[in-house]
Amino acid sequence: MEKWFNVGKIVNTQGIKGEVRVISKTDFPEKRYKVGNVLFLFMPNSKKPIELTVKSHRTHKNFELLTFEGYNNINDVEKFKEGILKVPESQLGELEEDEFYYHEIIGCLVATTEGEEIGKVTEILSPGANDVWVVKGKGGKEILIPYIQDVVKKVDVKEQVILIDPMEGLLS
């Protein structure tokens, strides 16, 4: 059975020419929303996904705006609201060294290079220059770990372990 990975969620329509607003959940928007790329739309009460081919893509504020081939006006795409855009695992592709998919990092155990267990990665934020990994520590405290070379020393997605060398004040 094919595994599926979230790319984004359609939250609204934009204008009257079939454009939809997407809150992106992918670390590769330029690849996923490229004209001609195929995405699969999963609707809340439907078992079978709808296959969609990207016709146009642009970014506006915090949204990705997409149109799909064969869906040319607001009436065609109104029903897509609340749908989740996904890609099959076969579309993921190879990554460069030191690049990871979100699903590979979320759930990993984070420990210091000295062996002190910090917690598990629960979320990834992309505020700008580098990603920030949200780690749920002991007692439910959230710790923000910047994904930079000075801090993250080793990522082992097979063993689900990340080793960090925390800079002063990072864990306090």
Side-chain angles (χ1 to χ4, degrees), residues 96-100 105 124-125 129-133 144-155 162 164:
E96 301 288 317
E97 193 179 339
D98 294 330
E99 283 188 337
F100 307 96
I105 298 301
I124 297 175
L125 308 174
N130 56 273
D131 284 351
V132 175
W133 296 347
L144 303 177
I145 307 291
Y147 180 50
I148 56 175
Q149 245 175 350
D150 290 350
V151 175
V152 178
K153 295 303 180 187
K154 183 174 184 228
V155 178
I162 297 167
I164 64 168

Side-chain angles (χ1 to χ4, degrees), residues 18-168:
E19 204 166 34
V20 293
R21 277 187 188 187
V22 175
I23 293 178
S24 187
K25 295 283 183 214
T26 180
D27 18 358
F28 303 105
E30 66 290 337
K31 203 183 277 181
R32 298 289 167 238
Y33 306 131
K34 193 169 110 195
V35 173
N37 196 29
V38 175
L39 300 172
F40 294 85
L41 181 67
F42 286 76
M43 294 306 296
N45 296 318
S46 175
K47 298 246 182 281
K48 198 173 184 303
I50 301 165
E51 189 174 319
L52 298 170
T53 303
V54 178
K55 182 173 158 187
S56 72
H57 167 243
R58 65 190 176 105
T59 303
H60 176 67
K61 297 187 178 165
N62 293 337
F63 298 101
E64 304 296 334
L65 301 179
L66 302 174
T67 59
F68 303 108
E69 288 178 12
Y71 298 90
N72 300 319
N73 74 57
I74 188 170
N75 299 324
D76 296 337
V77 296
E78 186 78 35
K79 61 185 178 271
F80 293 166
K81 280 189 205 170
E82 300 303 308
I84 306 291
L85 293 168
K86 298 186 180 194
V87 291
E89 188 171 32
S90 58
Q91 258 189 41
L92 291 184
E94 290 298 307
L95 297 178
E96 301 288 317
E97 193 179 339
D98 294 330
E99 283 188 337
F100 307 96
Y101 286 109
Y102 285 6
H103 70 268
E104 293 177 310
I105 298 301
I106 293 172
C108 281
L109 177 72
V110 177
T112 66
T113 50
E114 273 83 59
E116 181 193 346
E117 222 172 88
I118 307 300
K120 284 196 173 181
V121 179
T122 58
E123 187 181 358
I124 297 175
L125 308 174
S126 299
N130 56 273
D131 284 351
V132 175
W133 296 347
V134 180
V135 176
K136 190 140 215 120
K138 297 175 188 80
K141 184 181 174 203
E142 281 190 346
I143 300 155
L144 303 177
I145 307 291
Y147 180 50
I148 56 175
Q149 245 175 350
D150 290 350
V151 175
V152 178
K153 295 303 180 187
K154 183 174 184 228
V155 178
D156 186 339
V157 290
K158 281 189 179 56
E159 295 296 321
Q160 291 263 290
V161 174
I162 297 167
L163 294 180
I164 64 168
D165 185 7
M167 52 179 85
E168 196 175 326

